Amino acid sequence: IFDAQQASADQNIVVVAGGTITVSELTVAAVTVISTLGTGTILLDANGEASDIVLNDAISSVNGSISLTADNDITTNLDGDITSTSGTLTVTADVSSGSVSVITMADGALWNAGSGVIDLDTDGNITLGGLQTSTEVQVTTTAGAILDAGDAHPDITANSAALRAESGIGDAGGANGGLETVTSGAALT
């Protein structure tokens, strides 16, 4: 996807693909490639066993929800930011691939939902750049760990956070260490 922008308020963008979805503007770095106004929502859905979502550039909404769903992995580079003023952000990898899938944010990538809830779910590792909201962050992996991509941003800035991982949270002995969080309360399981 090179350019998908709604010029009128409350219009939705829905992309359902039978393969990998890549969000990337080819000529200029660090631009917003997908955006909606008002309550317009954004849905990216990559279907198929090896189908990924790759964010090389930004996605934004004003008040609408943003949903990324891939049957395999979801990855971002440094410019793969997601922003919303108040829309819920839902990111789900491994919807039906049958293999272990990951959500990987590059160090420096920031997903900011404003006052919306952020919810990340997969069965493999989840590597965090920066998640920011004034409400709640939920991060769940049923078979992997929740890891730190680096220190460009605190990993989680929220009023509350619920982190659930089968294989650990943070990596005290790793290059990036533990997760940096700025919360009023956190539940770690």
Side-chain angles (χ1 to χ4, degrees):
I1 302 170
F2 303 111
D3 187 18
Q5 310 215 12
Q6 289 292 358
S8 300
D10 307 328
Q11 300 295 309
N12 303 325
I13 295 175
V14 177
V15 178
V16 179
T20 294
I21 297 172
T22 301
V23 176
S24 185
E25 206 286 324
L26 294 177
T27 60
V28 180
V31 297
T32 300
V33 172
I34 300 174
S35 67
T36 59
L37 302 173
T39 60
T41 63
I42 297 170
L43 168 65
L44 303 182
D45 186 0
N47 295 296
E49 188 172 317
S51 297
D52 301 329
I53 294 177
V54 179
L55 298 181
N56 293 326
D57 284 304
I59 296 174
S60 71
S61 77
V62 176
N63 297 315
S65 64
I66 299 172
S67 298
L68 308 180
T69 304
D71 283 355
N72 199 34
D73 300 335
I74 297 176
T75 59
T76 72
N77 76 15
L78 174 65
D79 297 326
D81 294 339
I82 299 174
T83 59
S84 178
T85 304
S86 63
T88 298
L89 171 59
T90 306
V91 179
T92 307
D94 194 33
V95 175
S96 64
S97 75
S99 63
V100 176
S101 298
V102 299
I103 297 172
T104 304
M105 297 175 69
D107 184 24
L110 179 63
W111 294 353
N112 183 345
S115 62
V117 172
I118 298 175
D119 184 15
L120 279 58
D121 299 282
T122 192
D123 60 354
N125 288 343
I126 299 175
T127 304
L128 300 178
L131 303 177
Q132 184 175 341
T133 180
S134 63
T135 57
E136 181 178 7
V137 169
Q138 303 171 13
V139 181
T140 304
T141 170
T142 57
I146 301 171
L147 304 169
D148 182 358
D151 297 330
H153 301 288
D155 297 299
I156 298 172
T157 303
N159 186 50
S160 65
L163 308 178
R164 300 169 195 91
E166 183 67 25
S167 299
I169 297 172
D171 183 10
N176 296 318
L179 298 180
E180 298 83 36
T181 61
V182 179
T183 66
S184 296
L188 311 174
T189 58

